[in-house]
Amino acid sequence: MTDATHTRMMTAVVTTGIGGVERLEHRRVPVPAVGPGDVLVRVAAAGVNNTDINTRIGWYSSSVRDGTGSAAPLADGESGGYAGPSPFPLVQGADCCGTVVEAGSAGSEQLLRQRVLVRSCMTGLADGVVRWLGSDRDGAFAEYVAVPVSEVFPVASGWSDAELATIPCSSGTAENMLERSGVGAGTRVLVTGASGGVGSAAVQLALRRGARVIAVASPAKHDRLRALGVTEVIDRNVDLAEAMDGERVDVAVDNVAGPGFGDVLGRLVPGGTYVTSGAIAGPVVELDLRRLYLDDLRLIGTTTWDDGVFPQVVSAVEHDEIRPLLAATFPLDDIVAAQEAFQDPGRFGNIALVPRRLPSRGRTRDRR
């Protein structure tokens, strides 16, 4: 958190520790200090993601066996961060769209007043350590966030701030999965959980690469997936092998896992690739090693983004090669309702939070 002696104040949602929504406190906190290599971003909108909830409830602990929608919070004091204990108290929020209003050094002044997206997975830091916005350091559930200049990307787009705020985490994660698994023109790709944030981004970004996509989702969401350009959609409740009539794919993008893991693995061609960055239906799965080695399969786990991934996502936005999927917006102080809406199984599209500004007195002023 910021030095408590800092006089400028803002509103933020502070997660005070592992637990339920009672751990989310909307309060006044100091505006973050801007170091020599940083810029201060005035947050216009912040997206809601599974990682926000997972970090708060300690889902990344190896003791958790339930899926992300059903896991109960760990007991207070247990370590549930994916890279060790989370640095509570913490301002969460991995997705940020905003405007640069202060520059920590003369070399970054050209960014002032530019609308930017912040790279959620910060891979350009000077110390070489990868950090996640809102998990390893304070994030975007606030009026302002200070971030290294290497992690802000100007974006020229007609999309709204809330639409842009749905992009960084889900689309960056999806593009990273496609990049690592070598998806290109003509690749046959199976995407499970295709109506979720990462799933719907994977669908669009795979189609952008010229792949042939088979999407798995509940029937109520099939028409919306077809509107994105998918021609083959499968009911998530049916037998996958039967629905695909024995067909196999080159790549399976699976963030669902759980009991269906083996069925998804069975849809790969010999030499095929399974790639994942999550486990919505449960992280502990059964694997028949014979299927893995006899079919020469590749299993890829992805968290850290490759260097070129986020610039590719920004380019896709600027050229309108993907579409924003915004389900609803909420004021920042209504974060509990926003996270409940995010976890609604009927949701299609992402949720964005919009800060309510403090009166001008005592608040940082944008440099104009």
Side-chain angles (χ1 to χ4, degrees), residues 10-269:
M10 66 178 184
T11 57
V13 173
V14 179
T15 305
T16 60
I18 289 177
V21 294
E22 74 282 353
R23 287 296 197 172
L24 301 171
E25 296 185 4
H26 184 258
R27 65 194 194 198
R28 290 169 66 96
V29 299
V31 173
V34 183
D38 297 338
V39 294
L40 186 69
V41 176
R42 184 178 191 261
V43 179
V48 175
N49 288 284
N50 267 321
T51 189
D52 306 317
I53 300 169
N54 291 343
T55 298
R56 171 170 55 78
I57 68 174
W59 183 82
Y60 296 107
S61 169
S62 60
S63 66
V64 176
R65 295 291 188 269
D66 295 329
T68 54
S70 57
L74 291 183
D76 190 25
E78 292 189 64
S79 175
Y82 61 85
S86 298
F88 299 119
L90 175 69
V91 177
Q92 294 187 279
D95 274 339
C96 179
C97 172
T99 303
V100 175
V101 294
E102 288 187 19
S105 59
S108 51
E109 286 184 343
Q110 75 277 5
L111 291 170
L112 289 173
R113 295 179 293 278
Q114 292 203 49
R115 185 161 71 153
V116 298
L117 292 176
V118 178
R119 180 161 49 189
S120 309
C121 181
M122 296 184 168
T123 57
L125 305 184
D127 61 7
V129 177
V130 173
R131 294 183 179 89
W132 277 83
L133 185 69
S135 290
D136 299 317
R137 58 181 292 150
D138 285 345
F141 291 165
E143 287 190 273
Y144 295 88
V145 60
V147 294
V149 67
S150 62
E151 307 310 306
V152 295
F153 292 77
V155 57
S157 172
W159 298 6
S160 70
D161 295 328
E163 288 172 331
L164 285 170
T166 68
I167 292 298
C169 189
S170 58
S171 292
T173 298
E175 181 72 359
N176 196 51
M177 296 168 78
L178 300 174
E179 184 75 14
R180 292 272 187 93
S181 55
V183 171
T187 305
R188 295 165 296 175
V189 181
L190 177 69
V191 180
T192 66
S195 63
V198 174
S200 58
V203 163
Q204 296 193 72
L205 291 165
L207 290 172
R208 175 179 180 255
R209 289 169 172 254
R212 174 193 161 198
V213 175
I214 303 172
V216 181
S218 62
K221 300 171 182 177
H222 286 188
D223 286 345
R224 295 179 183 180
L225 285 167
R226 291 190 180 97
L228 297 178
V230 181
T231 57
E232 300 173 76
V233 189
I234 294 174
D235 182 350
R236 70 177 187 182
N237 299 307
V238 304
D239 180 85
L240 191 58
E242 183 177 338
M244 294 179 65
D245 195 25
E247 182 183 0
R248 301 197 177 202
V249 296
D250 305 301
V251 175
V253 176
D254 179 31
N255 272 10
V256 176
F261 169 80
D263 294 333
V264 173
L265 210 65
R267 293 299 87 217
L268 289 170
V269 297

